[in-house]
Amino acid sequence: MTTFKAFWAEKTEDGYTHSIVERSTDDLPEGDVLIKVAHSSVNYKDALSARCLPGVTRNYPHTPGIDASGQVVSSMSSDFKEGDEVICIGFDLGMNTPGGFGEYIQVPAGWLTPLPDGLSLRESMVLGTAGFTAALCVEKLERMGAAPDDGPVVVTGATGGVGSVAVALLAKAGFEVIASSGKADKVDYLKSLGAANVIGRNELQEENARPMLATTYAHGVDTVGGNILSNVVKSLNYGGSVAICGLVASPAFQTTVLPFILRGVNILGIDSVELPIEEKTANWGRLASDWKLDNLDNMTQEIDLEGISTAVDTIFSGNVSGRTLVTHN
Ligand code: NDP
């Protein structure tokens, strides 16, 4: 039995409270593999869970953290042994299973990816679920045949975690990236990640009753939903695709069938949570090799457990810029 520190979110009559508490590895749920967590990161879902909001965590008190990387302490699975470095994202981690905002997690072996050569534990969590999801978006666009010669690719919510990594990955793959952002002061940041051009979020935000708009983008990565996604779909070139993964603005969007039947456009759904572990592992492998980003530090703030509450506030204020890495001391 080992004691450790964990972020602890509790429901109260008027909402929530949070603290850093001491826990014991005996408190963790049964699982094949006990891991000493080196790093986690702060994602949109962690913000919901940390504030006891609906949609992620059913039972409180709870330790959020949908991402973790660290070292195996003990394992009942022959696939992992003491000292192995591993990544755990998605499945139930941090949702109803105590997550990476604690210094230890215990999980099924089937949730784990061995840390691939070429990626450090730290880099894996700078990417975290958000970066991993950005990679899934790029991979699915590629599978649809998207190529740099097709024309510009728009990324919405571009300064966010998913958006920042999507901008960087698409630029690395040779695409001309148009970053859509609500933050006028982040043009230089987005260009440092590889954006060719930055447009204001308001350009895409207006509700528009027309079923189609002038063709502007070859493809897109949408992290926000709502009117912005509606307008992206209506603005895709013939045969264009948009990978959709998020709902920061709204889970709803409006379209008619016209862009689909007159321009042959495609909507590609992205889920990082229940993606089978073999596909997760393959995707991590690409992030460690041909998709390895050398500008991760440009998009990273590093905090410890004490910094999580402020990071959560930043998410809800829409002021996120890049990724927030959590490092356990
Ligand atoms: P962040 O909080 O890091 O970034 C969201 C970005 O959205 C902000 O930085 C901002 O960028 C933009 N934004 C904020 N408020 C609004 C608004 N009201 N209208 C339009 N845009 C807004 O979130 P993530 O990047 O981590 O996640 C993005 C979305 O993707 C979330 O909905 C998340 O739940 C989802 N997600 C889904 C996954 C999946 O498996 N499908 C996995 C990971 C995330 P800017 O100012 O530049 O416009």
Side-chain angles (χ1 to χ4, degrees):
M1 191 268 284
T2 308
T3 56
F4 64 90
K5 281 194 295 177
F7 182 94
W8 195 239
E10 288 180 84
K11 263 190 174 158
T12 61
E13 274 180 14
D14 45 3
Y16 69 89
T17 180
H18 63 82
S19 50
I20 310 296
V21 296
E22 189 165 280
R23 303 277 288 155
S24 152
T25 47
D26 283 351
D27 300 331
L28 293 172
E30 289 196 357
D32 309 322
V33 187
L34 178 68
I35 295 153
K36 185 170 192 323
V37 180
H39 302 281
S40 181
S41 78
V42 187
N43 296 275
Y44 196 78
K45 273 164 86 173
D46 299 317
L48 294 174
S49 179
R51 291 289 181 259
C52 303
L53 292 168
V56 177
T57 302
R58 281 188 306 275
N59 302 314
Y60 290 92
H62 174 65
T63 297
I66 63 170
D67 287 341
S69 68
Q71 229 174 29
V72 172
V73 175
S74 61
S75 170
M76 293 193 297
S77 159
S78 55
D79 292 338
F80 297 97
K81 60 178 191 320
E82 187 185 341
D84 284 353
E85 294 187 311
V86 291
I87 302 171
C88 186
I89 66 161
F91 299 112
D92 193 48
L93 186 71
M95 295 182 67
N96 291 289
T97 300
F101 294 176
E103 291 171 323
Y104 284 79
I105 57 171
Q106 188 152 260
V107 296
W111 292 6
L112 298 175
T113 291
L115 184 75
D117 287 344
L119 206 61
S120 66
L121 290 174
R122 185 179 196 279
E123 288 166 331
S124 72
M125 288 296 107
V126 169
L127 293 163
T129 288
F132 180 87
T133 301
L136 288 181
C137 291
V138 177
E139 192 263 347
K140 215 157 188 182
L141 288 172
E142 272 186 5
R143 260 200 275 159
M144 283 306 295
D149 284 350
D150 296 347
V153 179
V154 64
V155 176
T156 67
T159 64
V162 179
S164 293
V165 180
V167 168
L169 285 175
L170 286 163
K172 186 177 170 77
F175 288 93
E176 177 190 347
V177 182
I178 311 295
S180 160
S181 175
K183 302 185 188 80
D185 59 337
K186 291 291 175 186
V187 173
D188 289 345
Y189 166 70
L190 289 165
K191 290 196 167 170
S192 79
L193 299 182
N197 202 355
V198 181
I199 59 170
R201 186 194 294 163
N202 52 353
E203 278 193 36
L204 286 166
Q205 212 164 21
E206 286 293 300
E207 189 170 345
N208 194 322
R210 290 170 59 196
M212 293 198 292
L213 301 170
T215 53
T216 311
Y217 308 111
H219 306 288
V221 169
D222 178 66
T223 71
V224 302
N227 287 343
I228 293 177
L229 173 57
S230 308
N231 290 328
V232 168
V233 170
K234 293 175 189 180
S235 308
L236 289 175
N237 292 353
Y238 190 90
S241 301
V242 56
I244 64 177
C245 67
L247 40 63
V248 181
S250 169
F253 71 104
Q254 288 197 319
T255 181
T256 65
V257 298
L258 295 183
F260 305 95
I261 65 174
L262 297 181
R263 290 183 180 159
V265 308
N266 310 293
I267 285 184
L268 312 176
I270 302 297
D271 168 54
S272 64
V273 180
E274 295 297 333
L275 188 76
I277 193 69
E278 298 75 21
E279 289 179 54
K280 279 196 170 118
T281 299
N283 203 48
W284 279 118
R286 286 198 75 180
L287 282 163
S289 54
D290 53 325
W291 282 345
K292 177 85 192 268
L293 293 174
D294 54 16
N295 49 3
L296 286 177
D297 281 344
N298 291 8
M299 61 175 91
T300 311
Q301 296 95 52
E302 188 165 359
I303 60 170
D304 59 14
L305 284 181
E306 307 285 344
I308 287 176
S309 185
T310 306
V312 165
D313 289 340
T314 309
I315 287 189
F316 285 127
S317 68
N319 285 325
V320 172
S321 179
R323 298 280 299 137
T324 303
L325 175 75
V326 178
T327 297
H328 292 294
N329 295 316

